[in-house]
Amino acid sequence: MDNKMSQQSPDAELQYIRKIIADSRTAFVEDGKPYIIWGLIVAVGMGITYVSAYTQRDLYTGFVWMGLVLFGWATIIWYIIKKRRAPKRATSFMDRIQGAIWGACGGALGLGVLLIVSYPHAADLPSIHPIYACFVSSLILGIAYFLSGIANDLNWLRNIGFAWWAGAVVMYVWPTIHVLGIYAAMLLLFQVVPGIILLRRYRRIVGTVQEA
């Protein structure tokens, strides 16, 4: 083995080293697509819910949410299948960290909102009013973005966590139906837009690696 390695030309060894660096570099890059997918889906759902509540008109919000969630899961499943069919790359420790962060925060967010919305609210029951569901979601999303920014060594992504926490404060001190509109706008600004930035960054880095 050592003799075989020693017989390689310097150019071949340099090419091998470059390949290792390229694989390592792309392994740590987040493509941002899940941010965009779920950000748009929830923003559309919250926007329709807000318009329905504000105008006091039945816009079939329940059916809209059902369709959006089904579409979202179908898109995510397609995204996962496409990634698995792509050329294999080394699974990094950062991949597991990212999955753990968003898996834990996403699970907590979904469970928290489900309990708040479905549990009957009454003055004599120890429950949380459904209007505070967006407040709870913003707190958890702030944690997810803060940790994800640190994991990816991206200060701007980490700072988005502070934006979500600031929005949570507004939602807590101003509990009106306008919270739904604020939450929808925040999803577009602080989830869809960052997802687009991450996607462009991913394509730029991958393109640079492929050209090297």
Side-chain angles (χ1 to χ4, degrees):
M1 182 69 178
D2 292 338
N3 292 333
K4 191 174 182 179
M5 286 293 295
S6 62
Q7 291 174 359
Q8 289 184 352
S9 66
D11 289 341
E13 292 180 0
L14 182 60
Q15 193 69 24
Y16 179 71
I17 294 172
R18 284 177 176 173
K19 184 178 183 304
I20 293 176
I21 295 174
D23 291 343
S24 300
R25 190 179 182 189
T26 55
F28 282 84
V29 180
E30 172 67 53
D31 65 10
K33 290 181 181 179
Y35 294 70
I36 300 172
I37 294 170
W38 282 113
L40 285 173
I41 286 172
V42 180
V44 170
M46 293 302 298
I48 293 175
T49 303
Y50 172 60
V51 173
S52 178
Y54 184 74
T55 60
Q56 296 185 350
R57 295 179 58 186
D58 182 14
L59 300 179
Y60 304 100
T61 307
F63 293 104
V64 170
W65 273 109
M66 187 181 300
L68 288 171
V69 170
L70 290 175
F71 174 76
W73 279 114
T75 306
I76 289 296
I77 291 172
W78 172 81
Y79 168 77
I80 293 173
I81 293 174
K82 186 177 179 181
K83 286 196 72 173
R84 288 182 176 178
R85 289 179 178 176
K88 291 291 184 179
R89 65 176 177 84
T91 302
S92 67
F93 178 70
M94 195 60 62
D95 289 324
R96 296 196 296 272
I97 291 294
Q98 280 286 95
I101 291 172
W102 286 101
C105 290
L109 190 156
L111 179 61
V113 171
L114 179 64
L115 290 174
I116 292 173
V117 172
S118 60
Y119 192 77
H121 176 75
D124 58 341
L125 292 176
S127 59
I128 300 175
H129 194 283
I131 199 66
Y132 290 104
C134 293
F135 159 72
V136 174
S137 298
S138 296
L139 286 179
I140 297 175
L141 281 173
I143 295 172
Y145 275 97
F146 186 86
L147 295 178
S148 187
I150 292 177
N152 285 278
D153 196 24
L154 295 173
N155 291 335
W156 66 267
L157 189 63
R158 178 204 63 192
N159 293 338
I160 288 177
F162 294 107
W164 278 105
W165 290 330
V169 173
V170 174
M171 295 175 191
Y172 185 80
V173 300
W174 192 41
T176 67
I177 60 171
H178 300 297
V179 164
L180 302 175
I182 294 173
Y183 187 73
M186 289 187 66
L187 283 168
L188 294 175
L189 289 174
F190 302 124
Q191 181 151 334
V192 175
V193 172
I196 294 173
I197 295 173
L198 288 171
L199 180 59
R200 294 180 63 182
R201 175 176 175 266
Y202 172 80
R203 289 176 175 173
R204 184 177 66 253
I205 292 176
V206 172
T208 303
V209 169
Q210 290 175 347
E211 293 173 0

